[in-house]
Amino acid sequence: MTNAQETNVKQEPLSEQAFLDTLINLCDDLAWGRPASEDRLFALTKEGAGPKNYVRLAEAFGMMLVKVESREYHRSQLIADLKTRNAELEEAHRLLAERNTHLMRTIQENYQTKKIVGQCEAMRKVIQLALTIARRPINTLILGPTGAGKEVIAKAIHFNSPRREGPFVAVNCTAIPDSLFESEMFGYVGGAFTGANPQGKAGFFESADGGTIFLDEIGEIPLQIQAKLLSVIQNKVVCRVGSTRSVPVDVRILAATNRDLRAEVAAGRFRQDLYYRLSAFSVELPPLRSCPEDVCFLIDRLMEKIPQKYGVPPRSLSGEAFGKLLAYNWPGNIRELENVLENAVALSESELIYAEHIHLEGTAPAPLTLKERLKREERQILRQTLAQCGGSRVKAMELLG
């Protein structure tokens, strides 16, 4: 039979049962939104269902149109929602970028060398040297006693350097166990050791790429890590624990210590070649006791900062408390001064800090005479009465008679 003859053969209409089965399957397709359902519905009309099934066929067409319209509506709603979410994300990204820019400017302003407290000759020289070093891409060793402000100088160098837009990563070498030094410094790949993150982790050097890494208490680094640190400085690449792939890093190194590294080198506890790599330039901070004129300026600066930090009203020092602070030699340097003032702010219940709120190490108070005890009790009663009267001296005098 030819193709023309096949075309002329009239197709028999579907039986009612076959039509119903096909319609049921079609409705099922429509219910699930399958893409072939519309094509099947049109094919069903061509097969000739018979007049008595046209009503059912029309219902199927109606169901298809409702489904299509519903899908189009939901699609348009989804697109509108996505556009709204995208606009919200763009706005959030803009606000975050503005806040980051503001935060970066604030940090840079806070660590401008002109804002570092230092009136004594030795500290002025340190500040000037830090500004000079900041402009040169050289590794620097910062020396000085504990609490003298070595990290403040390191941040001042970073935020006044061409790398100011890059990260500043501070590493406290005394806080890292010997067994974790390598993985923390240089990172590791997933499965490198028991308990390792399956995704791996970048080390401090990778995190500081494009910026500055500050290695505080560099003298505490184990000898075996010193050799790897030397390799990183020389080759400017790191290799994660468990990997053989080298990762290039562009990092400026600032190191600090309160130890005599020359003596450590002589004793065999610190590598000589690493010492020379780190100390291309050196800055030595004076202890606070050698700059007594700076104590006054530091107290003023800290008494502005500490109440803001703890969300309490501003505090002032009594003359006796101020004199007690000036007479102390501060073996713990600026860090000890800050701790003492923080404790004093926390202990004082009024806006004035008295000498008894100042607790200094190794300065146990001498026994008071009877006259001194009476005077102290009298001051305490006066302070309590003033607080009770809301600070009004007239009311306090009336109350005390």
Short mmCIF file of all heavy atoms in Angstrom, two decimals, residues 307-363:
data_model
loop_
_atom_site.label_atom_id
_atom_site.label_comp_id
_atom_site.label_asym_id
_atom_site.label_seq_id
_atom_site.Cartn_x
_atom_site.Cartn_y
_atom_site.Cartn_z
N PRO A 307 35.92 53.44 79.50
CA PRO A 307 34.47 53.54 79.73
C PRO A 307 33.65 53.27 78.48
O PRO A 307 32.57 52.67 78.55
CB PRO A 307 34.31 54.99 80.22
CG PRO A 307 35.63 55.34 80.82
CD PRO A 307 36.64 54.65 79.95
N GLN A 308 34.14 53.72 77.31
CA GLN A 308 33.43 53.43 76.06
C GLN A 308 33.40 51.93 75.79
O GLN A 308 32.39 51.39 75.34
CB GLN A 308 34.11 54.15 74.89
CG GLN A 308 34.02 55.66 74.96
CD GLN A 308 34.79 56.34 73.86
OE1 GLN A 308 35.42 55.68 73.03
NE2 GLN A 308 34.77 57.67 73.82
N LYS A 309 34.50 51.25 76.08
CA LYS A 309 34.59 49.81 75.86
C LYS A 309 33.56 49.05 76.68
O LYS A 309 32.97 48.08 76.20
CB LYS A 309 36.01 49.35 76.21
CG LYS A 309 36.25 47.86 76.09
CD LYS A 309 37.68 47.50 76.48
CE LYS A 309 37.92 46.00 76.45
NZ LYS A 309 39.31 45.66 76.86
N TYR A 310 33.34 49.48 77.94
CA TYR A 310 32.44 48.75 78.83
C TYR A 310 31.05 49.40 78.93
O TYR A 310 30.21 48.94 79.69
CB TYR A 310 33.06 48.64 80.22
CG TYR A 310 34.27 47.74 80.24
CD1 TYR A 310 35.55 48.27 80.29
CD2 TYR A 310 34.13 46.36 80.17
CE1 TYR A 310 36.66 47.44 80.30
CE2 TYR A 310 35.23 45.52 80.17
CZ TYR A 310 36.50 46.07 80.23
OH TYR A 310 37.60 45.24 80.23
N GLY A 311 30.82 50.46 78.16
CA GLY A 311 29.49 51.07 78.14
C GLY A 311 29.09 51.71 79.45
O GLY A 311 27.93 51.63 79.85
N VAL A 312 30.04 52.34 80.15
CA VAL A 312 29.75 53.02 81.42
C VAL A 312 30.02 54.50 81.25
O VAL A 312 30.73 54.92 80.32
CB VAL A 312 30.61 52.44 82.56
CG1 VAL A 312 30.30 50.96 82.77
CG2 VAL A 312 32.10 52.63 82.29
N PRO A 313 29.47 55.35 82.14
CA PRO A 313 29.72 56.79 82.03
C PRO A 313 31.21 57.11 82.18
O PRO A 313 31.96 56.32 82.77
CB PRO A 313 28.91 57.37 83.21
CG PRO A 313 27.88 56.34 83.52
CD PRO A 313 28.52 55.02 83.22
N PRO A 314 31.64 58.24 81.67
CA PRO A 314 33.06 58.62 81.79
C PRO A 314 33.49 58.68 83.25
O PRO A 314 32.71 59.05 84.14
CB PRO A 314 33.13 60.00 81.12
CG PRO A 314 31.94 60.03 80.21
CD PRO A 314 30.89 59.21 80.87
N ARG A 315 34.73 58.33 83.49
CA ARG A 315 35.28 58.34 84.84
C ARG A 315 36.45 59.34 84.91
O ARG A 315 37.11 59.60 83.92
CB ARG A 315 35.80 56.96 85.24
CG ARG A 315 34.74 55.86 85.25
CD ARG A 315 33.86 55.98 86.50
NE ARG A 315 33.14 54.74 86.77
CZ ARG A 315 31.92 54.47 86.36
NH1 ARG A 315 31.28 55.35 85.60
NH2 ARG A 315 31.33 53.33 86.67
N SER A 316 36.68 59.86 86.12
CA SER A 316 37.82 60.75 86.37
C SER A 316 38.62 60.21 87.54
O SER A 316 38.09 59.49 88.41
CB SER A 316 37.34 62.18 86.69
OG SER A 316 36.60 62.70 85.61
N LEU A 317 39.90 60.55 87.58
CA LEU A 317 40.78 60.11 88.65
C LEU A 317 40.92 61.22 89.69
O LEU A 317 41.10 62.40 89.35
CB LEU A 317 42.16 59.77 88.09
CG LEU A 317 42.26 58.50 87.23
CD1 LEU A 317 43.57 58.52 86.45
CD2 LEU A 317 42.18 57.25 88.08
N SER A 318 40.85 60.81 90.96
CA SER A 318 41.14 61.78 92.02
C SER A 318 42.63 62.11 92.00
O SER A 318 43.43 61.36 91.42
CB SER A 318 40.73 61.22 93.38
OG SER A 318 41.59 60.14 93.74
N GLY A 319 42.99 63.23 92.62
CA GLY A 319 44.40 63.60 92.66
C GLY A 319 45.26 62.55 93.32
O GLY A 319 46.38 62.25 92.88
N GLU A 320 44.72 61.93 94.38
CA GLU A 320 45.45 60.90 95.09
C GLU A 320 45.66 59.65 94.22
O GLU A 320 46.74 59.06 94.19
CB GLU A 320 44.69 60.52 96.37
CG GLU A 320 45.50 59.69 97.35
CD GLU A 320 44.73 59.41 98.64
OE1 GLU A 320 43.63 59.98 98.82
OE2 GLU A 320 45.24 58.63 99.46
N ALA A 321 44.62 59.27 93.46
CA ALA A 321 44.73 58.11 92.57
C ALA A 321 45.71 58.39 91.44
O ALA A 321 46.53 57.54 91.08
CB ALA A 321 43.35 57.77 92.00
N PHE A 322 45.65 59.62 90.92
CA PHE A 322 46.56 59.99 89.83
C PHE A 322 48.01 59.96 90.32
O PHE A 322 48.91 59.46 89.62
CB PHE A 322 46.21 61.39 89.32
CG PHE A 322 46.71 61.68 87.94
CD1 PHE A 322 46.00 61.25 86.84
CD2 PHE A 322 47.89 62.38 87.75
CE1 PHE A 322 46.46 61.52 85.56
CE2 PHE A 322 48.35 62.64 86.49
CZ PHE A 322 47.64 62.22 85.38
N GLY A 323 48.24 60.47 91.51
CA GLY A 323 49.59 60.45 92.07
C GLY A 323 50.11 59.05 92.31
O GLY A 323 51.30 58.76 92.11
N LYS A 324 49.20 58.15 92.71
CA LYS A 324 49.59 56.76 92.94
C LYS A 324 50.04 56.10 91.64
O LYS A 324 51.01 55.33 91.62
CB LYS A 324 48.41 56.00 93.55
CG LYS A 324 48.72 54.60 94.03
CD LYS A 324 47.51 54.00 94.74
CE LYS A 324 47.81 52.59 95.24
NZ LYS A 324 46.63 52.01 95.94
N LEU A 325 49.35 56.41 90.55
CA LEU A 325 49.72 55.85 89.25
C LEU A 325 51.07 56.40 88.77
O LEU A 325 51.89 55.67 88.22
CB LEU A 325 48.64 56.17 88.21
CG LEU A 325 47.28 55.48 88.41
CD1 LEU A 325 46.25 56.08 87.45
CD2 LEU A 325 47.38 53.98 88.19
N LEU A 326 51.31 57.68 89.01
CA LEU A 326 52.55 58.30 88.56
C LEU A 326 53.75 57.81 89.35
O LEU A 326 54.87 57.77 88.83
CB LEU A 326 52.45 59.82 88.65
CG LEU A 326 51.47 60.51 87.70
CD1 LEU A 326 51.48 62.02 87.93
CD2 LEU A 326 51.82 60.20 86.25
N ALA A 327 53.54 57.41 90.60
CA ALA A 327 54.66 56.99 91.45
C ALA A 327 55.09 55.54 91.19
O ALA A 327 56.16 55.13 91.64
CB ALA A 327 54.26 57.16 92.92
N TYR A 328 54.30 54.79 90.46
CA TYR A 328 54.59 53.37 90.20
C TYR A 328 55.54 53.25 89.02
O TYR A 328 55.54 54.08 88.10
CB TYR A 328 53.27 52.66 89.92
CG TYR A 328 53.33 51.15 89.85
CD1 TYR A 328 53.79 50.40 90.92
CD2 TYR A 328 52.88 50.49 88.70
CE1 TYR A 328 53.82 49.01 90.85
CE2 TYR A 328 52.90 49.11 88.64
CZ TYR A 328 53.37 48.37 89.71
OH TYR A 328 53.40 47.01 89.65
N ASN A 329 56.40 52.20 89.01
CA ASN A 329 57.40 52.08 87.92
C ASN A 329 56.95 51.18 86.76
O ASN A 329 57.68 51.00 85.80
CB ASN A 329 58.74 51.60 88.47
CG ASN A 329 58.68 50.13 88.90
OD1 ASN A 329 57.60 49.55 89.01
ND2 ASN A 329 59.83 49.55 89.17
N TRP A 330 55.80 50.56 86.81
CA TRP A 330 55.16 49.83 85.71
C TRP A 330 56.06 48.77 85.06
O TRP A 330 56.44 48.89 83.89
CB TRP A 330 54.65 50.81 84.64
CG TRP A 330 53.66 51.78 85.20
CD1 TRP A 330 53.84 53.10 85.43
CD2 TRP A 330 52.34 51.46 85.66
NE1 TRP A 330 52.73 53.65 86.00
CE2 TRP A 330 51.78 52.65 86.15
CE3 TRP A 330 51.57 50.29 85.71
CZ2 TRP A 330 50.51 52.74 86.69
CZ3 TRP A 330 50.30 50.35 86.25
CH2 TRP A 330 49.78 51.56 86.72
N PRO A 331 56.36 47.71 85.80
CA PRO A 331 57.15 46.62 85.20
C PRO A 331 56.42 45.91 84.07
O PRO A 331 57.06 45.34 83.18
CB PRO A 331 57.41 45.68 86.39
CG PRO A 331 56.31 45.97 87.36
CD PRO A 331 56.03 47.44 87.21
N GLY A 332 55.09 45.93 84.10
CA GLY A 332 54.31 45.31 83.02
C GLY A 332 53.99 46.26 81.89
O GLY A 332 53.25 45.91 80.96
N ASN A 333 54.51 47.49 81.98
CA ASN A 333 54.41 48.49 80.92
C ASN A 333 52.96 48.89 80.61
O ASN A 333 52.12 48.88 81.51
CB ASN A 333 55.15 47.99 79.68
CG ASN A 333 56.63 47.80 79.96
OD1 ASN A 333 57.36 48.76 80.16
ND2 ASN A 333 57.08 46.55 80.04
N ILE A 334 52.68 49.22 79.34
CA ILE A 334 51.36 49.78 78.98
C ILE A 334 50.24 48.78 79.25
O ILE A 334 49.16 49.16 79.68
CB ILE A 334 51.36 50.20 77.50
CG1 ILE A 334 52.44 51.25 77.24
CG2 ILE A 334 50.00 50.74 77.08
CD1 ILE A 334 52.65 51.59 75.77
N ARG A 335 50.51 47.50 79.03
CA ARG A 335 49.47 46.49 79.26
C ARG A 335 49.05 46.46 80.72
O ARG A 335 47.86 46.35 81.05
CB ARG A 335 49.97 45.12 78.82
CG ARG A 335 48.89 44.03 78.84
CD ARG A 335 49.46 42.73 78.32
NE ARG A 335 49.92 42.89 76.94
CZ ARG A 335 50.86 42.11 76.40
NH1 ARG A 335 51.44 41.17 77.10
NH2 ARG A 335 51.21 42.30 75.14
N GLU A 336 50.02 46.57 81.63
CA GLU A 336 49.69 46.58 83.06
C GLU A 336 48.91 47.84 83.41
O GLU A 336 47.94 47.78 84.18
CB GLU A 336 50.97 46.50 83.89
CG GLU A 336 50.69 46.44 85.40
CD GLU A 336 51.95 46.42 86.23
OE1 GLU A 336 53.06 46.61 85.68
OE2 GLU A 336 51.83 46.22 87.46
N LEU A 337 49.30 48.99 82.86
CA LEU A 337 48.58 50.23 83.12
C LEU A 337 47.13 50.12 82.67
O LEU A 337 46.20 50.52 83.39
CB LEU A 337 49.28 51.38 82.40
CG LEU A 337 48.59 52.75 82.44
CD1 LEU A 337 48.41 53.23 83.87
CD2 LEU A 337 49.36 53.77 81.63
N GLU A 338 46.91 49.55 81.50
CA GLU A 338 45.54 49.39 81.00
C GLU A 338 44.73 48.46 81.89
O GLU A 338 43.56 48.75 82.20
CB GLU A 338 45.58 48.86 79.56
CG GLU A 338 44.21 48.77 78.91
CD GLU A 338 44.28 48.47 77.43
OE1 GLU A 338 45.38 48.19 76.92
OE2 GLU A 338 43.22 48.49 76.78
N ASN A 339 45.33 47.35 82.33
CA ASN A 339 44.62 46.41 83.22
C ASN A 339 44.24 47.08 84.54
O ASN A 339 43.13 46.89 85.05
CB ASN A 339 45.48 45.18 83.48
CG ASN A 339 45.58 44.27 82.28
OD1 ASN A 339 44.78 44.36 81.35
ND2 ASN A 339 46.58 43.41 82.26
N VAL A 340 45.17 47.86 85.10
CA VAL A 340 44.91 48.52 86.38
C VAL A 340 43.75 49.51 86.24
O VAL A 340 42.85 49.57 87.08
CB VAL A 340 46.18 49.25 86.88
CG1 VAL A 340 45.85 50.20 88.03
CG2 VAL A 340 47.22 48.22 87.34
N LEU A 341 43.74 50.27 85.15
CA LEU A 341 42.66 51.24 84.94
C LEU A 341 41.33 50.56 84.64
O LEU A 341 40.27 51.04 85.07
CB LEU A 341 43.04 52.20 83.81
CG LEU A 341 44.18 53.18 84.13
CD1 LEU A 341 44.52 54.02 82.91
CD2 LEU A 341 43.82 54.07 85.30
N GLU A 342 41.36 49.44 83.94
CA GLU A 342 40.12 48.69 83.69
C GLU A 342 39.52 48.19 85.00
O GLU A 342 38.30 48.28 85.21
CB GLU A 342 40.39 47.52 82.75
CG GLU A 342 40.55 47.92 81.29
CD GLU A 342 40.66 46.72 80.37
OE1 GLU A 342 40.76 45.59 80.87
OE2 GLU A 342 40.64 46.93 79.13
N ASN A 343 40.37 47.67 85.87
CA ASN A 343 39.89 47.21 87.18
C ASN A 343 39.32 48.38 87.99
O ASN A 343 38.30 48.25 88.67
CB ASN A 343 41.02 46.54 87.96
CG ASN A 343 41.40 45.19 87.38
OD1 ASN A 343 40.58 44.53 86.75
ND2 ASN A 343 42.63 44.77 87.59
N ALA A 344 40.00 49.54 87.94
CA ALA A 344 39.54 50.70 88.69
C ALA A 344 38.18 51.18 88.19
O ALA A 344 37.30 51.52 88.99
CB ALA A 344 40.58 51.82 88.59
N VAL A 345 37.99 51.21 86.89
CA VAL A 345 36.69 51.61 86.32
C VAL A 345 35.60 50.63 86.75
O VAL A 345 34.48 51.03 87.07
CB VAL A 345 36.79 51.70 84.79
CG1 VAL A 345 35.40 51.84 84.16
CG2 VAL A 345 37.67 52.86 84.36
N ALA A 346 35.92 49.35 86.77
CA ALA A 346 34.93 48.34 87.16
C ALA A 346 34.58 48.43 88.65
O ALA A 346 33.43 48.19 89.04
CB ALA A 346 35.47 46.95 86.84
N LEU A 347 35.56 48.80 89.49
CA LEU A 347 35.34 48.83 90.94
C LEU A 347 34.64 50.09 91.41
O LEU A 347 33.92 50.08 92.41
CB LEU A 347 36.68 48.69 91.68
CG LEU A 347 37.35 47.32 91.62
CD1 LEU A 347 38.76 47.39 92.21
CD2 LEU A 347 36.52 46.27 92.35
N SER A 348 34.85 51.20 90.71
CA SER A 348 34.28 52.47 91.16
C SER A 348 32.78 52.51 90.89
O SER A 348 32.32 52.13 89.81
CB SER A 348 34.97 53.64 90.45
OG SER A 348 34.70 53.60 89.07
N GLU A 349 32.04 52.97 91.88
CA GLU A 349 30.59 53.08 91.75
C GLU A 349 30.15 54.50 91.42
O GLU A 349 28.97 54.75 91.19
CB GLU A 349 29.92 52.60 93.04
CG GLU A 349 30.17 51.12 93.33
CD GLU A 349 29.51 50.67 94.61
OE1 GLU A 349 28.91 51.52 95.29
OE2 GLU A 349 29.60 49.47 94.94
N SER A 350 31.07 55.43 91.47
CA SER A 350 30.76 56.82 91.13
C SER A 350 31.61 57.23 89.93
O SER A 350 32.38 56.43 89.40
CB SER A 350 31.04 57.73 92.33
OG SER A 350 32.43 57.75 92.61
N GLU A 351 31.49 58.48 89.54
CA GLU A 351 32.24 58.97 88.39
C GLU A 351 33.68 59.33 88.74
O GLU A 351 34.46 59.66 87.85
CB GLU A 351 31.54 60.18 87.77
CG GLU A 351 30.18 59.83 87.16
CD GLU A 351 29.53 61.02 86.50
OE1 GLU A 351 30.14 62.11 86.53
OE2 GLU A 351 28.41 60.87 85.98
N LEU A 352 34.02 59.26 90.03
CA LEU A 352 35.37 59.58 90.46
C LEU A 352 36.06 58.32 90.98
O LEU A 352 35.51 57.58 91.78
CB LEU A 352 35.33 60.65 91.56
CG LEU A 352 36.65 61.36 91.88
CD1 LEU A 352 37.19 62.09 90.65
CD2 LEU A 352 36.48 62.33 93.03
N ILE A 353 37.27 58.08 90.48
CA ILE A 353 38.07 56.92 90.90
C ILE A 353 39.04 57.38 91.99
O ILE A 353 39.80 58.35 91.79
CB ILE A 353 38.84 56.32 89.71
CG1 ILE A 353 37.84 55.73 88.70
CG2 ILE A 353 39.82 55.27 90.15
CD1 ILE A 353 38.49 55.24 87.42
N TYR A 354 39.01 56.66 93.13
CA TYR A 354 39.85 57.03 94.27
C TYR A 354 41.05 56.09 94.35
O TYR A 354 41.12 55.07 93.67
CB TYR A 354 39.04 56.99 95.56
CG TYR A 354 37.93 58.02 95.58
CD1 TYR A 354 36.64 57.69 95.15
CD2 TYR A 354 38.19 59.32 95.99
CE1 TYR A 354 35.63 58.64 95.14
CE2 TYR A 354 37.18 60.28 95.99
CZ TYR A 354 35.90 59.94 95.56
OH TYR A 354 34.91 60.88 95.55
N ALA A 355 41.98 56.46 95.23
CA ALA A 355 43.23 55.70 95.35
C ALA A 355 42.97 54.25 95.74
O ALA A 355 43.70 53.35 95.30
CB ALA A 355 44.15 56.37 96.38
N GLU A 356 41.93 53.99 96.55
CA GLU A 356 41.67 52.61 96.97
C GLU A 356 41.19 51.73 95.81
O GLU A 356 41.18 50.51 95.92
CB GLU A 356 40.64 52.57 98.11
CG GLU A 356 39.34 53.25 97.82
CD GLU A 356 39.29 54.67 98.37
OE1 GLU A 356 40.33 55.33 98.38
OE2 GLU A 356 38.20 55.08 98.80
N HIS A 357 40.78 52.34 94.71
CA HIS A 357 40.38 51.56 93.53
C HIS A 357 41.58 51.15 92.68
O HIS A 357 41.44 50.35 91.76
CB HIS A 357 39.43 52.38 92.66
CG HIS A 357 38.15 52.75 93.34
ND1 HIS A 357 37.59 53.99 93.26
CD2 HIS A 357 37.33 52.03 94.15
CE1 HIS A 357 36.47 54.03 93.96
NE2 HIS A 357 36.29 52.84 94.52
N ILE A 358 42.75 51.71 92.96
CA ILE A 358 43.96 51.43 92.19
C ILE A 358 44.74 50.31 92.88
O ILE A 358 45.30 50.51 93.95
CB ILE A 358 44.85 52.69 92.06
CG1 ILE A 358 44.06 53.86 91.48
CG2 ILE A 358 46.09 52.38 91.23
CD1 ILE A 358 43.58 53.66 90.07
N HIS A 359 44.74 49.13 92.26
CA HIS A 359 45.44 47.98 92.82
C HIS A 359 46.69 47.69 91.99
O HIS A 359 46.59 47.34 90.81
CB HIS A 359 44.53 46.75 92.84
CG HIS A 359 43.32 46.94 93.70
ND1 HIS A 359 43.38 47.09 95.07
CD2 HIS A 359 41.99 47.04 93.37
CE1 HIS A 359 42.15 47.25 95.57
NE2 HIS A 359 41.30 47.23 94.55
N LEU A 360 47.85 47.84 92.60
CA LEU A 360 49.12 47.66 91.91
C LEU A 360 49.84 46.43 92.45
O LEU A 360 49.79 46.15 93.66
CB LEU A 360 50.00 48.90 92.08
CG LEU A 360 49.38 50.22 91.58
CD1 LEU A 360 50.26 51.40 91.95
CD2 LEU A 360 49.16 50.17 90.08
N GLU A 361 50.51 45.70 91.55
CA GLU A 361 51.24 44.49 91.94
C GLU A 361 52.41 44.84 92.86
O GLU A 361 53.16 45.78 92.60
CB GLU A 361 51.79 43.77 90.70
CG GLU A 361 50.72 43.16 89.82
CD GLU A 361 50.03 41.97 90.47
OE1 GLU A 361 50.68 41.31 91.29
OE2 GLU A 361 48.85 41.73 90.17
N GLY A 362 52.54 44.07 93.96
CA GLY A 362 53.69 44.22 94.85
C GLY A 362 53.69 45.50 95.65
O GLY A 362 54.73 45.92 96.16
N THR A 363 52.52 46.13 95.76
CA THR A 363 52.44 47.36 96.56
C THR A 363 51.31 47.22 97.58
O THR A 363 50.31 47.91 97.51
CB THR A 363 52.18 48.58 95.67
OG1 THR A 363 50.98 48.36 94.92
CG2 THR A 363 53.34 48.82 94.73
#
